[in-house]
Amino acid sequence: MVGFFNIFEACRHCESLEHLVYASSSSVYGSNKKVPYSTDDKVDNPVSLYAATKKSNELMAHAYSKLYNIPSTGLRFFTVYGPAGRPDMAYFGFTNKLVKGETIKIFNYGNCKRDFTYVDDIVEGIVRVMKKAPDKKNGEDRLPIPPYAVYNIGNQNPENLQDFVQILSEELIRAKILPEDYDFEAHKELVPMQSDDVPVTYADTSALERDFGYKPRTSLRDGLRNFAEWYAEFYK
Ligand SMILES: NC(=O)c1ccc[n+]([C@@H]2O[C@H](COP(=O)([O-])OP(=O)(O)OC[C@H]3O[C@@H](n4cnc5c(N)ncnc54)[C@H](O)[C@@H]3O)[C@@H](O)[C@H]2O)c1
């Protein structure tokens, strides 16, 4: 949060700033019941402090866009995964545990769904968005309309966590990270939901497609295969 605020404070002094693109998150949708999540949905019921900070970023971006006519675009990423990912994310932590022969915990008794998005698709989306800032224009009152936009970047295809870990285990075996006879079922524990978690994330990416002719498409099988191959090489 502090870092984000500093960026905007710095930005307002650089008149040549063409476009500020920043990371928001699917977490802003909180426990939204309506799916898929659209950027038109209300997002004022965060269920974690993290989500509240991401929503605050969007609000500050709007204020700065309005006050200083700074073009800004927020991208709500949906559960990013892939090679060289964050070790604290579930798929990475699961892999580390399975390699050590430990049991993995799957929340909400395996009934969570996530709109997993492969990292290369995120990068492609960011690059396209960076090149096209929201237009600067004036309203009827002749004052600038904030050149401000927010988009979802997700796969628009939520996957059940149980299916996700099943594919992950198959790909870890294929990459020879786990042995062929690995008893995956014996290393899986279904546990209750966490209080700061949501049962489903599901991106409506129609605005991204409309404005940039793009939506993420990498299948879970392909994405997790790339992750497993990277992991095998990186940790060999
Ligand atoms: N990974 C996801 O699934 C996901 C989903 C939604 C949103 N996001 C958002 O995307 C952004 C990047 O997430 P990530 O998963 O790549 O995390 P990450 O931890 O891999 O990357 C964050 C990067 O920011 C750098 N950083 C942290 N504080 C900094 C500071 N004060 N100044 C300069 N650099 C700093 C870190 O060194 C790191 O390289 C975050 O804003 C995160 O909230 C990520």
Side-chain angles (χ1 to χ4, degrees), residues 5-57:
F5 183 70
N6 289 344
I7 289 169
F8 264 116
E9 272 303 301
C11 287
R12 79 185 180 90
H13 300 295
C14 37
E15 281 166 16
S16 59
L17 184 77
E18 288 173 31
H19 190 192
L20 179 75
V21 179
Y22 62 94
S24 187
S25 161
S26 60
S27 66
V28 299
Y29 291 105
S31 48
N32 207 18
K33 295 284 181 289
K34 177 193 144 285
V35 288
Y37 297 167
S38 158
T39 46
D40 293 331
D41 296 345
K42 259 177 82 171
V43 285
D44 51 10
N45 293 299
V47 298
S48 66
L49 281 175
Y50 170 73
T53 67
K54 300 312 268 188
K55 174 63 188 169
S56 307
N57 288 348

Side-chain angles (χ1 to χ4, degrees), residues 3 23-27 50 54 57 75-81 84-86 88-89:
S24 187
S25 161
S26 60
S27 66
Y50 170 73
K54 300 312 268 188
N57 288 348
L75 300 174
R76 293 177 178 167
F77 301 149
F78 281 66
T79 320
V80 186
Y81 75 100
R86 257 177 37 214
D88 63 318
M89 289 193 64

Side-chain angles (χ1 to χ4, degrees), residues 115-173:
D115 203 346
F116 293 101
T117 314
Y118 187 60
V119 63
D120 289 7
D121 291 346
I122 293 281
V123 172
E124 175 70 26
I126 295 172
V127 170
R128 286 180 184 236
V129 166
M130 277 169 62
K131 291 179 184 162
K132 193 171 144 199
D135 289 337
K136 286 186 178 178
K137 47 188 175 205
N138 291 343
E140 284 173 6
D141 57 5
R142 298 200 192 147
L143 291 172
I145 297 171
Y148 168 89
V150 171
Y151 294 93
N152 289 333
I153 301 196
N155 231 41
Q156 203 164 286
N157 181 28
E159 307 265 3
N160 187 287
L161 252 291
Q162 297 241 49
D163 298 335
F164 179 84
V165 291
Q166 180 62 41
I167 298 173
L168 175 65
S169 68
E170 289 166 12
E171 291 305 322
L172 294 177
I173 290 170

